[in-house]
Amino acid sequence: MADFDHTALRRLDLNLLVALDALVAERSVTRAAARLCVGQPAMSHALARLREWLGDDILYREGAAMVPTARAQALAPRVRQWLAEAQAMTLSEAAFDPQRVQERFDLCLNDPLEALLLPGLVAALRQKAPGLSLSVRPVPAWQQLEQLDAGEIRMALGHFPRLRSVHEPVLLFRSGFGCVYNPALLKVPARPRPADLARLPNIHTSYAGDGPGLVDKVFQQQGLRRQVVAHTANPLSIPFVVKQSPLVAVLPDMLTRLFGSHGDLRIVPLPWRALVLPISMVTHRRDASDPLVRFVTQELLAVTRAVFA
């Protein structure tokens, strides 16, 4: 507990300390008013209140000059120090310099987003904030918001259909979907419909960032049920699987864009209106004024625009 009386302090007008600092520094009501951008009557009123509050003249006239009292001179250095600390505390964001940051920044994002965004983000941060250590935490998607709430991470990227009021989301992009298969092993129509893909053996990933049941919900709306014959926790293994097996995978196109080196596979966009995945960057409200969180947010937005341009 602080060793002062909150109730008594609440009755004080701490703006009078600002007036005291200006009056002692300028030794003139007129010049002090100009320094604080207020009228001379307002400054005279502040001086009167200071005299009443402190039981001291603060300034007294000696000939043509105004001279601070001994009490005012004793108070002035302490008031100036307090004002400097208050300014540093409340205006610290203005002094933020990413080049001087020396700390670790923890965040969570799934494998596809890490492969897409991390290279550009690390390159940007190494140039602009070389003392910042970026740490991607291996946390399952369903636990990431819990980690954010607990302060274990400062940012989470992915698809989060259930956010709370303490979460601050920023939409990064909306991912469409496509199907991936090996045309040497499987025949798929050039413009496949849900019924076409439901008849084929599917491989499914539960960690593609699409939330529970998003793809299957689209099929259910058509009165269909997919024939899922394989599940994988790592979506980046899927192209290697479908190279050797007659399977089709329905995946977000943020993931399929990573399969460009697999020239023997075919990737067909699925322009189904219901199959769209919003991808967001989420921070916690407690960090809304944190300049480092804001800085990393802006860098991630820039990287995302470059990747998905």
Side-chain angles (χ1 to χ4, degrees):
M1 294 296 293
D3 55 351
F4 56 80
D5 187 340
H6 286 84
T7 303
L9 187 62
R10 189 172 64 87
R11 291 195 294 266
L12 301 178
D13 182 357
L14 298 182
N15 285 321
L16 291 178
L17 295 180
V18 181
L20 175 62
D21 180 76
L23 286 164
V24 174
E26 297 291 348
R27 301 191 177 195
S28 164
V29 172
T30 301
R31 291 195 300 270
R35 173 181 282 204
L36 298 185
C37 300
V38 300
Q40 184 171 340
M43 183 55 67
S44 296
H45 180 65
L47 177 57
R49 294 182 62 196
L50 277 167
R51 286 169 169 167
E52 179 182 0
W53 177 26
L54 298 175
D56 186 85
D57 284 343
I58 305 302
L59 292 178
Y60 65 93
R61 185 168 295 281
E62 186 175 287
M66 296 290 287
V67 181
T69 64
R71 177 83 186 278
Q73 291 182 26
L75 286 173
R78 298 173 63 188
V79 169
R80 173 58 64 93
Q81 182 180 0
W82 183 87
L83 292 175
E85 292 179 358
Q87 178 173 273
M89 179 176 62
T90 57
L91 301 180
S92 58
E93 183 176 353
F96 175 74
D97 181 359
Q99 289 284 335
R100 301 180 66 178
V101 171
Q102 296 288 332
E103 61 180 286
R104 191 176 79 178
F105 192 96
D106 296 302
L107 74 163
C108 287
L109 64 167
N110 61 29
D111 295 339
L113 286 175
E114 183 172 343
L116 287 168
L117 302 180
L118 197 61
L121 181 61
V122 170
L125 295 182
R126 292 306 303 156
Q127 178 182 3
K128 299 179 182 180
L132 180 63
S133 173
L134 195 68
S135 177
V136 178
R137 302 285 293 272
V139 179
W142 59 273
Q143 289 183 338
Q144 291 180 9
L145 293 182
E146 295 179 8
Q147 294 278 304
L148 186 66
D149 293 345
E152 297 294 328
I153 61 172
R154 300 167 83 173
M155 180 180 292
L157 280 72
H159 176 59
F160 303 104
R162 296 179 183 85
L163 297 175
R164 298 193 298 114
S165 60
V166 295
H167 300 138
E168 301 282 349
V170 175
L171 180 67
L172 292 175
F173 60 92
R174 298 181 186 275
S175 178
F177 278 70
C179 67
V180 182
Y181 65 99
N182 185 346
L185 301 178
L186 197 66
K187 291 184 178 181
V188 178
R191 296 182 178 179
R193 299 168 301 172
D196 299 320
L197 300 184
R199 286 193 294 266
L200 297 172
N202 279 238
I203 180 172
H204 173 68
T205 177
S206 59
Y207 195 52
D210 58 345
L214 178 61
V215 173
D216 288 310
K217 186 181 297 184
V218 173
F219 283 89
Q220 291 169 7
Q221 290 170 350
Q222 301 282 327
L224 302 168
R225 183 175 180 178
R226 284 198 299 167
Q227 183 190 161
V228 178
V229 299
H231 293 80
T232 175
N234 189 342
L236 298 179
S237 69
I238 287 180
F240 301 97
V241 176
V242 299
K243 275 186 180 184
Q244 300 186 42
S245 300
L247 304 177
V248 63
V250 179
L251 301 169
D253 55 24
M254 68 172 181
L255 176 58
T256 60
R257 66 168 48 221
L258 297 172
F259 299 167
S261 61
H262 299 276
D264 48 350
L265 300 182
R266 186 163 297 167
I267 302 171
V268 180
L270 300 176
W272 302 347
R273 187 174 301 176
L275 204 55
V276 176
L277 191 68
I279 302 298
S280 298
M281 167 173 46
V282 182
T283 56
H284 199 280
R285 183 171 295 177
R286 66 171 169 266
D287 295 325
S289 299
D290 187 323
L292 180 57
V293 172
R294 290 184 178 182
F295 168 71
V296 175
T297 295
Q298 292 304 313
E299 294 303 314
L300 260 171
L301 287 172
V303 169
T304 302
R305 285 193 294 266
V307 170
F308 293 94

